[in-house]
Amino acid sequence: MLAIAAAVAFGLALLFDLANISLGEAITLNTLVTLGLLLLALHLAGVGTGTRSWSWRRRARR
């Protein structure tokens, strides 16, 4: 889910850049790119997956 949100943030940044759209001083293209990178890093770290990879191995050994 976080990877999809990252793709949306990168897509919006690209569209805003191509169309020269400005959302004011608070939200810039750099803000959207940083948000996308943060979401992508969280996805790669496994945040939001719901399960931990080590929990099923521990139960299977018993």
Side-chain angles (χ1 to χ4, degrees):
M1 184 68 185
L2 290 173
I4 295 171
V8 169
F10 286 135
L12 285 174
L14 178 64
L15 287 175
F16 290 167
D17 188 34
L18 292 175
N20 291 327
I21 296 173
S22 177
L23 295 176
E25 295 180 13
I27 300 176
T28 63
L29 292 177
N30 289 337
T31 305
L32 289 174
V33 170
T34 304
L35 174 66
L37 289 173
L38 172 68
L39 292 171
L40 190 60
L42 289 173
H43 170 73
L44 291 174
V47 174
T49 58
T51 59
R52 295 182 182 158
S53 62
W54 55 268
S55 63
W56 65 272
R57 291 180 189 163
R58 181 175 285 175
R59 291 181 188 161
R61 291 181 186 171
R62 290 184 180 179

Short mmCIF file of all heavy atoms in Angstrom, two decimals:
data_model
loop_
_atom_site.label_atom_id
_atom_site.label_comp_id
_atom_site.label_asym_id
_atom_site.label_seq_id
_atom_site.Cartn_x
_atom_site.Cartn_y
_atom_site.Cartn_z
N MET A 1 0.83 -1.19 0.00
CA MET A 1 0.00 0.00 0.00
C MET A 1 0.87 1.26 0.00
O MET A 1 0.54 2.23 -0.65
CB MET A 1 -0.91 -0.06 1.23
CG MET A 1 -1.88 1.06 1.29
SD MET A 1 -3.08 0.88 -0.02
CE MET A 1 -4.00 2.34 0.18
N LEU A 2 1.96 1.21 0.73
CA LEU A 2 2.84 2.38 0.77
C LEU A 2 3.52 2.61 -0.57
O LEU A 2 3.78 3.76 -0.95
CB LEU A 2 3.88 2.22 1.88
CG LEU A 2 3.34 2.30 3.30
CD1 LEU A 2 4.43 1.97 4.30
CD2 LEU A 2 2.77 3.65 3.59
N ALA A 3 3.79 1.54 -1.30
CA ALA A 3 4.42 1.69 -2.62
C ALA A 3 3.46 2.36 -3.59
O ALA A 3 3.87 3.17 -4.43
CB ALA A 3 4.85 0.34 -3.14
N ILE A 4 2.17 2.05 -3.48
CA ILE A 4 1.17 2.70 -4.34
C ILE A 4 1.08 4.18 -4.00
O ILE A 4 1.01 5.03 -4.90
CB ILE A 4 -0.19 2.00 -4.19
CG1 ILE A 4 -0.10 0.57 -4.70
CG2 ILE A 4 -1.29 2.77 -4.91
CD1 ILE A 4 -1.31 -0.27 -4.41
N ALA A 5 1.10 4.51 -2.72
CA ALA A 5 1.05 5.92 -2.31
C ALA A 5 2.30 6.66 -2.79
O ALA A 5 2.23 7.82 -3.20
CB ALA A 5 0.92 6.02 -0.80
N ALA A 6 3.45 5.98 -2.77
CA ALA A 6 4.68 6.59 -3.27
C ALA A 6 4.58 6.84 -4.76
O ALA A 6 5.00 7.89 -5.26
CB ALA A 6 5.88 5.69 -2.96
N ALA A 7 4.01 5.89 -5.50
CA ALA A 7 3.84 6.07 -6.94
C ALA A 7 2.91 7.23 -7.25
O ALA A 7 3.15 8.00 -8.19
CB ALA A 7 3.31 4.78 -7.56
N VAL A 8 1.87 7.40 -6.45
CA VAL A 8 0.95 8.53 -6.64
C VAL A 8 1.67 9.85 -6.38
O VAL A 8 1.52 10.82 -7.12
CB VAL A 8 -0.28 8.38 -5.73
CG1 VAL A 8 -1.11 9.64 -5.69
CG2 VAL A 8 -1.13 7.20 -6.19
N ALA A 9 2.48 9.90 -5.31
CA ALA A 9 3.21 11.12 -4.99
C ALA A 9 4.20 11.47 -6.10
O ALA A 9 4.31 12.63 -6.51
CB ALA A 9 3.95 10.97 -3.65
N PHE A 10 4.91 10.46 -6.62
CA PHE A 10 5.85 10.70 -7.72
C PHE A 10 5.10 11.12 -8.98
O PHE A 10 5.55 11.99 -9.73
CB PHE A 10 6.69 9.46 -8.00
CG PHE A 10 7.75 9.20 -6.98
CD1 PHE A 10 7.94 7.93 -6.49
CD2 PHE A 10 8.57 10.21 -6.52
CE1 PHE A 10 8.92 7.67 -5.56
CE2 PHE A 10 9.55 9.96 -5.58
CZ PHE A 10 9.73 8.69 -5.10
N GLY A 11 3.95 10.50 -9.24
CA GLY A 11 3.15 10.87 -10.41
C GLY A 11 2.64 12.30 -10.34
O GLY A 11 2.67 13.03 -11.33
N LEU A 12 2.18 12.70 -9.16
CA LEU A 12 1.73 14.09 -8.98
C LEU A 12 2.88 15.07 -9.16
O LEU A 12 2.71 16.13 -9.78
CB LEU A 12 1.09 14.27 -7.60
CG LEU A 12 -0.31 13.70 -7.42
CD1 LEU A 12 -0.74 13.84 -5.97
CD2 LEU A 12 -1.28 14.38 -8.35
N ALA A 13 4.03 14.72 -8.63
CA ALA A 13 5.19 15.60 -8.78
C ALA A 13 5.56 15.74 -10.25
O ALA A 13 5.87 16.84 -10.71
CB ALA A 13 6.38 15.05 -7.99
N LEU A 14 5.49 14.65 -11.00
CA LEU A 14 5.80 14.72 -12.43
C LEU A 14 4.78 15.55 -13.19
O LEU A 14 5.14 16.40 -14.01
CB LEU A 14 5.87 13.30 -13.01
CG LEU A 14 6.14 13.21 -14.51
CD1 LEU A 14 7.52 13.78 -14.82
CD2 LEU A 14 6.02 11.80 -14.99
N LEU A 15 3.51 15.32 -12.91
CA LEU A 15 2.47 16.10 -13.60
C LEU A 15 2.56 17.59 -13.27
O LEU A 15 2.40 18.43 -14.16
CB LEU A 15 1.09 15.57 -13.22
CG LEU A 15 0.70 14.23 -13.83
CD1 LEU A 15 -0.63 13.77 -13.28
CD2 LEU A 15 0.65 14.32 -15.34
N PHE A 16 2.78 17.91 -12.01
CA PHE A 16 2.91 19.32 -11.63
C PHE A 16 4.12 19.96 -12.27
O PHE A 16 4.08 21.12 -12.66
CB PHE A 16 2.97 19.47 -10.11
CG PHE A 16 1.68 19.18 -9.40
CD1 PHE A 16 1.66 19.01 -8.04
CD2 PHE A 16 0.49 19.06 -10.09
CE1 PHE A 16 0.48 18.74 -7.37
CE2 PHE A 16 -0.70 18.79 -9.43
CZ PHE A 16 -0.70 18.63 -8.08
N ASP A 17 5.20 19.19 -12.42
CA ASP A 17 6.40 19.72 -13.04
C ASP A 17 6.17 19.95 -14.54
O ASP A 17 6.57 20.98 -15.09
CB ASP A 17 7.57 18.78 -12.83
CG ASP A 17 8.89 19.37 -13.30
OD1 ASP A 17 9.06 20.59 -13.19
OD2 ASP A 17 9.74 18.58 -13.75
N LEU A 18 5.53 18.99 -15.21
CA LEU A 18 5.29 19.13 -16.64
C LEU A 18 4.30 20.25 -16.97
O LEU A 18 4.43 20.92 -17.98
CB LEU A 18 4.79 17.80 -17.22
CG LEU A 18 5.80 16.66 -17.24
CD1 LEU A 18 5.14 15.39 -17.71
CD2 LEU A 18 6.98 17.02 -18.11
N ALA A 19 3.31 20.43 -16.10
CA ALA A 19 2.29 21.45 -16.34
C ALA A 19 2.63 22.79 -15.70
O ALA A 19 1.86 23.74 -15.81
CB ALA A 19 0.95 20.96 -15.80
N ASN A 20 3.77 22.88 -15.02
CA ASN A 20 4.19 24.09 -14.32
C ASN A 20 3.13 24.59 -13.34
O ASN A 20 2.83 25.77 -13.26
CB ASN A 20 4.55 25.20 -15.31
CG ASN A 20 5.81 24.89 -16.06
OD1 ASN A 20 6.72 24.26 -15.53
ND2 ASN A 20 5.87 25.33 -17.31
N ILE A 21 2.56 23.65 -12.59
CA ILE A 21 1.54 23.98 -11.60
C ILE A 21 2.23 24.21 -10.26
O ILE A 21 3.10 23.45 -9.85
CB ILE A 21 0.52 22.84 -11.46
CG1 ILE A 21 -0.24 22.67 -12.78
CG2 ILE A 21 -0.45 23.11 -10.33
CD1 ILE A 21 -1.15 21.46 -12.78
N SER A 22 1.83 25.26 -9.58
CA SER A 22 2.37 25.56 -8.25
C SER A 22 1.25 25.49 -7.24
O SER A 22 0.16 26.01 -7.45
CB SER A 22 2.99 26.95 -8.24
OG SER A 22 3.44 27.27 -6.95
N LEU A 23 1.50 24.84 -6.12
CA LEU A 23 0.51 24.72 -5.05
C LEU A 23 0.82 25.65 -3.88
O LEU A 23 0.33 25.46 -2.79
CB LEU A 23 0.44 23.28 -4.55
CG LEU A 23 -0.05 22.25 -5.56
CD1 LEU A 23 0.03 20.86 -4.97
CD2 LEU A 23 -1.45 22.57 -5.98
N GLY A 24 1.63 26.64 -4.13
CA GLY A 24 1.98 27.58 -3.08
C GLY A 24 3.35 27.28 -2.51
O GLY A 24 4.12 26.50 -3.05
N GLU A 25 3.63 27.91 -1.41
CA GLU A 25 4.94 27.76 -0.79
C GLU A 25 5.04 26.52 0.10
O GLU A 25 6.12 26.02 0.34
CB GLU A 25 5.26 29.00 0.04
CG GLU A 25 5.42 30.25 -0.80
CD GLU A 25 5.73 31.47 0.05
OE1 GLU A 25 6.05 31.28 1.24
OE2 GLU A 25 5.65 32.57 -0.48
N ALA A 26 3.90 26.03 0.59
CA ALA A 26 3.93 24.91 1.52
C ALA A 26 4.20 23.58 0.81
O ALA A 26 4.96 22.76 1.30
CB ALA A 26 2.61 24.83 2.28
N ILE A 27 3.56 23.37 -0.33
CA ILE A 27 3.73 22.12 -1.05
C ILE A 27 4.44 22.41 -2.37
O ILE A 27 3.87 23.00 -3.28
CB ILE A 27 2.37 21.44 -1.32
CG1 ILE A 27 1.67 21.13 -0.01
CG2 ILE A 27 2.56 20.17 -2.13
CD1 ILE A 27 0.29 20.56 -0.17
N THR A 28 5.68 21.98 -2.45
CA THR A 28 6.47 22.18 -3.65
C THR A 28 6.77 20.82 -4.29
O THR A 28 6.40 19.78 -3.75
CB THR A 28 7.79 22.90 -3.32
OG1 THR A 28 8.56 22.07 -2.45
CG2 THR A 28 7.55 24.24 -2.66
N LEU A 29 7.42 20.84 -5.42
CA LEU A 29 7.79 19.59 -6.06
C LEU A 29 8.76 18.79 -5.19
O LEU A 29 8.68 17.56 -5.12
CB LEU A 29 8.42 19.86 -7.42
CG LEU A 29 7.47 20.43 -8.48
CD1 LEU A 29 8.22 20.71 -9.75
CD2 LEU A 29 6.33 19.47 -8.73
N ASN A 30 9.66 19.50 -4.52
CA ASN A 30 10.59 18.82 -3.63
C ASN A 30 9.87 18.14 -2.47
O ASN A 30 10.28 17.07 -2.01
CB ASN A 30 11.64 19.79 -3.09
CG ASN A 30 12.62 20.21 -4.16
OD1 ASN A 30 12.81 19.51 -5.14
ND2 ASN A 30 13.24 21.36 -3.96
N THR A 31 8.79 18.74 -2.00
CA THR A 31 8.01 18.14 -0.92
C THR A 31 7.37 16.84 -1.39
O THR A 31 7.39 15.83 -0.67
CB THR A 31 6.91 19.11 -0.46
OG1 THR A 31 7.49 20.35 -0.10
CG2 THR A 31 6.15 18.55 0.72
N LEU A 32 6.81 16.82 -2.60
CA LEU A 32 6.19 15.61 -3.12
C LEU A 32 7.22 14.52 -3.38
O LEU A 32 6.96 13.34 -3.12
CB LEU A 32 5.42 15.92 -4.40
CG LEU A 32 4.15 16.74 -4.22
CD1 LEU A 32 3.55 17.10 -5.57
CD2 LEU A 32 3.14 16.01 -3.37
N VAL A 33 8.38 14.88 -3.87
CA VAL A 33 9.43 13.89 -4.10
C VAL A 33 9.93 13.32 -2.78
O VAL A 33 10.14 12.11 -2.64
CB VAL A 33 10.58 14.50 -4.93
CG1 VAL A 33 11.78 13.57 -4.97
CG2 VAL A 33 10.11 14.82 -6.34
N THR A 34 10.10 14.18 -1.79
CA THR A 34 10.52 13.72 -0.47
C THR A 34 9.47 12.80 0.15
O THR A 34 9.81 11.77 0.75
CB THR A 34 10.80 14.91 0.46
OG1 THR A 34 11.76 15.75 -0.16
CG2 THR A 34 11.30 14.46 1.80
N LEU A 35 8.21 13.14 -0.01
CA LEU A 35 7.13 12.28 0.49
C LEU A 35 7.16 10.93 -0.21
O LEU A 35 7.02 9.88 0.44
CB LEU A 35 5.77 12.96 0.27
CG LEU A 35 4.55 12.13 0.60
CD1 LEU A 35 4.49 11.84 2.09
CD2 LEU A 35 3.30 12.82 0.13
N GLY A 36 7.35 10.92 -1.51
CA GLY A 36 7.44 9.67 -2.25
C GLY A 36 8.61 8.81 -1.81
O GLY A 36 8.49 7.59 -1.66
N LEU A 37 9.76 9.44 -1.59
CA LEU A 37 10.92 8.69 -1.12
C LEU A 37 10.72 8.13 0.28
O LEU A 37 11.14 7.01 0.58
CB LEU A 37 12.17 9.58 -1.16
CG LEU A 37 12.69 9.92 -2.56
CD1 LEU A 37 13.82 10.93 -2.45
CD2 LEU A 37 13.16 8.66 -3.27
N LEU A 38 10.07 8.90 1.14
CA LEU A 38 9.77 8.42 2.49
C LEU A 38 8.84 7.22 2.44
O LEU A 38 9.08 6.21 3.12
CB LEU A 38 9.15 9.54 3.32
CG LEU A 38 8.62 9.14 4.70
CD1 LEU A 38 9.78 8.76 5.60
CD2 LEU A 38 7.81 10.25 5.30
N LEU A 39 7.78 7.30 1.65
CA LEU A 39 6.85 6.19 1.55
C LEU A 39 7.51 4.96 0.94
O LEU A 39 7.25 3.82 1.37
CB LEU A 39 5.63 6.60 0.72
CG LEU A 39 4.72 7.65 1.36
CD1 LEU A 39 3.69 8.12 0.36
CD2 LEU A 39 4.07 7.11 2.61
N LEU A 40 8.36 5.16 -0.04
CA LEU A 40 9.07 4.04 -0.64
C LEU A 40 10.03 3.39 0.35
O LEU A 40 10.13 2.16 0.42
CB LEU A 40 9.82 4.51 -1.88
CG LEU A 40 10.41 3.44 -2.77
CD1 LEU A 40 9.32 2.53 -3.30
CD2 LEU A 40 11.16 4.07 -3.91
N ALA A 41 10.71 4.20 1.14
CA ALA A 41 11.62 3.65 2.15
C ALA A 41 10.85 2.88 3.22
O ALA A 41 11.29 1.81 3.66
CB ALA A 41 12.42 4.78 2.80
N LEU A 42 9.69 3.38 3.63
CA LEU A 42 8.88 2.66 4.60
C LEU A 42 8.38 1.34 4.03
O LEU A 42 8.33 0.33 4.72
CB LEU A 42 7.71 3.52 5.05
CG LEU A 42 8.05 4.71 5.94
CD1 LEU A 42 6.82 5.57 6.17
CD2 LEU A 42 8.63 4.25 7.26
N HIS A 43 8.02 1.35 2.75
CA HIS A 43 7.57 0.11 2.11
C HIS A 43 8.70 -0.92 2.07
O HIS A 43 8.48 -2.10 2.37
CB HIS A 43 7.08 0.41 0.69
CG HIS A 43 6.82 -0.81 -0.12
ND1 HIS A 43 5.73 -1.62 0.10
CD2 HIS A 43 7.50 -1.37 -1.14
CE1 HIS A 43 5.77 -2.63 -0.75
NE2 HIS A 43 6.85 -2.50 -1.51
N LEU A 44 9.88 -0.49 1.71
CA LEU A 44 11.02 -1.40 1.63
C LEU A 44 11.44 -1.90 3.01
O LEU A 44 11.99 -2.99 3.14
CB LEU A 44 12.19 -0.74 0.93
CG LEU A 44 11.99 -0.48 -0.57
CD1 LEU A 44 13.17 0.30 -1.12
CD2 LEU A 44 11.79 -1.79 -1.31
N ALA A 45 11.18 -1.11 4.05
CA ALA A 45 11.51 -1.53 5.41
C ALA A 45 10.47 -2.50 5.97
O ALA A 45 10.69 -3.09 7.03
CB ALA A 45 11.62 -0.31 6.31
N GLY A 46 9.35 -2.66 5.30
CA GLY A 46 8.34 -3.59 5.76
C GLY A 46 7.29 -3.00 6.65
O GLY A 46 6.51 -3.74 7.26
N VAL A 47 7.23 -1.70 6.75
CA VAL A 47 6.22 -1.04 7.58
C VAL A 47 4.87 -1.17 6.89
O VAL A 47 4.75 -0.97 5.70
CB VAL A 47 6.58 0.44 7.80
CG1 VAL A 47 5.47 1.16 8.55
CG2 VAL A 47 7.89 0.56 8.53
N GLY A 48 3.85 -1.54 7.66
CA GLY A 48 2.51 -1.63 7.12
C GLY A 48 2.17 -2.96 6.48
O GLY A 48 1.14 -3.10 5.84
N THR A 49 3.02 -3.96 6.66
CA THR A 49 2.74 -5.26 6.06
C THR A 49 1.73 -6.05 6.88
O THR A 49 1.07 -6.93 6.35
CB THR A 49 4.02 -6.08 5.90
OG1 THR A 49 4.61 -6.24 7.19
CG2 THR A 49 4.99 -5.42 4.96
N GLY A 50 1.60 -5.74 8.15
CA GLY A 50 0.62 -6.41 8.99
C GLY A 50 1.15 -7.65 9.69
O GLY A 50 0.71 -7.98 10.77
N THR A 51 2.08 -8.36 9.09
CA THR A 51 2.66 -9.53 9.73
C THR A 51 4.17 -9.40 9.73
O THR A 51 4.75 -8.72 8.88
CB THR A 51 2.29 -10.82 8.99
OG1 THR A 51 2.76 -10.73 7.66
CG2 THR A 51 0.80 -11.05 8.99
N ARG A 52 4.78 -10.06 10.66
CA ARG A 52 6.23 -10.06 10.74
C ARG A 52 6.74 -11.37 10.16
O ARG A 52 6.16 -12.43 10.40
CB ARG A 52 6.69 -9.89 12.18
CG ARG A 52 6.31 -8.55 12.73
CD ARG A 52 6.82 -8.39 14.12
NE ARG A 52 6.39 -7.10 14.64
CZ ARG A 52 6.31 -6.82 15.91
NH1 ARG A 52 6.63 -7.71 16.82
NH2 ARG A 52 5.91 -5.64 16.30
N SER A 53 7.83 -11.31 9.46
CA SER A 53 8.33 -12.51 8.78
C SER A 53 8.86 -13.55 9.76
O SER A 53 8.89 -14.73 9.45
CB SER A 53 9.41 -12.13 7.78
OG SER A 53 10.50 -11.53 8.44
N TRP A 54 9.28 -13.15 10.95
CA TRP A 54 9.86 -14.11 11.88
C TRP A 54 8.82 -14.79 12.75
O TRP A 54 9.10 -15.80 13.37
CB TRP A 54 10.91 -13.45 12.75
CG TRP A 54 10.41 -12.24 13.49
CD1 TRP A 54 10.48 -10.97 13.07
CD2 TRP A 54 9.76 -12.22 14.75
NE1 TRP A 54 9.90 -10.14 13.99
CE2 TRP A 54 9.46 -10.89 15.04
CE3 TRP A 54 9.40 -13.20 15.67
CZ2 TRP A 54 8.80 -10.50 16.19
CZ3 TRP A 54 8.76 -12.81 16.84
CH2 TRP A 54 8.47 -11.47 17.08
N SER A 55 7.61 -14.28 12.83
CA SER A 55 6.63 -14.83 13.76
C SER A 55 6.16 -16.22 13.34
O SER A 55 5.95 -17.09 14.17
CB SER A 55 5.44 -13.88 13.90
OG SER A 55 4.77 -13.76 12.67
N TRP A 56 6.01 -16.50 12.05
CA TRP A 56 5.54 -17.82 11.63
C TRP A 56 6.62 -18.88 11.77
O TRP A 56 6.32 -20.03 11.99
CB TRP A 56 5.01 -17.78 10.20
CG TRP A 56 6.05 -17.47 9.17
CD1 TRP A 56 6.43 -16.24 8.73
CD2 TRP A 56 6.84 -18.41 8.46
NE1 TRP A 56 7.41 -16.36 7.79
CE2 TRP A 56 7.68 -17.68 7.60
CE3 TRP A 56 6.93 -19.79 8.45
CZ2 TRP A 56 8.60 -18.29 6.76
CZ3 TRP A 56 7.85 -20.41 7.61
CH2 TRP A 56 8.67 -19.65 6.77
N ARG A 57 7.86 -18.49 11.67
CA ARG A 57 8.95 -19.45 11.83
C ARG A 57 9.05 -19.91 13.29
O ARG A 57 9.30 -21.07 13.56
CB ARG A 57 10.28 -18.84 11.40
CG ARG A 57 10.36 -18.62 9.93
CD ARG A 57 11.69 -18.01 9.56
NE ARG A 57 11.70 -17.59 8.19
CZ ARG A 57 12.56 -16.76 7.67
NH1 ARG A 57 13.51 -16.24 8.43
NH2 ARG A 57 12.51 -16.43 6.41
N ARG A 58 8.87 -19.00 14.19
CA ARG A 58 8.96 -19.34 15.60
C ARG A 58 7.84 -20.30 15.99
O ARG A 58 8.04 -21.23 16.74
CB ARG A 58 8.90 -18.08 16.45
CG ARG A 58 9.02 -18.35 17.93
CD ARG A 58 9.08 -17.09 18.72
NE ARG A 58 10.40 -16.51 18.55
CZ ARG A 58 10.77 -15.34 19.02
NH1 ARG A 58 9.90 -14.61 19.69
NH2 ARG A 58 11.97 -14.87 18.84
N ARG A 59 6.65 -20.10 15.49
CA ARG A 59 5.53 -20.98 15.82
C ARG A 59 5.68 -22.35 15.16
O ARG A 59 5.23 -23.34 15.69
CB ARG A 59 4.21 -20.33 15.36
CG ARG A 59 3.84 -19.13 16.16
CD ARG A 59 2.53 -18.55 15.70
NE ARG A 59 2.31 -17.29 16.39
CZ ARG A 59 1.47 -16.38 15.98
NH1 ARG A 59 0.76 -16.57 14.90
NH2 ARG A 59 1.32 -15.26 16.66
N ALA A 60 6.28 -22.40 13.99
CA ALA A 60 6.41 -23.68 13.28
C ALA A 60 7.39 -24.62 13.96
O ALA A 60 7.29 -25.82 13.82
CB ALA A 60 6.84 -23.43 11.83
N ARG A 61 8.34 -24.10 14.70
CA ARG A 61 9.35 -24.95 15.35
C ARG A 61 8.81 -25.66 16.58
O ARG A 61 9.35 -26.64 17.01
CB ARG A 61 10.55 -24.10 15.76
CG ARG A 61 11.35 -23.61 14.57
CD ARG A 61 12.52 -22.80 15.04
NE ARG A 61 13.22 -22.22 13.92
CZ ARG A 61 14.18 -21.33 14.01
NH1 ARG A 61 14.57 -20.89 15.21
NH2 ARG A 61 14.77 -20.85 12.95
N ARG A 62 7.76 -25.15 17.14
CA ARG A 62 7.22 -25.75 18.36
C ARG A 62 6.50 -27.01 18.13
O ARG A 62 6.02 -27.55 17.35
CB ARG A 62 6.30 -24.78 19.07
CG ARG A 62 7.04 -23.62 19.64
CD ARG A 62 6.10 -22.75 20.39
NE ARG A 62 6.84 -21.64 20.96
CZ ARG A 62 6.31 -20.69 21.65
NH1 ARG A 62 5.01 -20.68 21.89
NH2 ARG A 62 7.03 -19.73 22.14
#
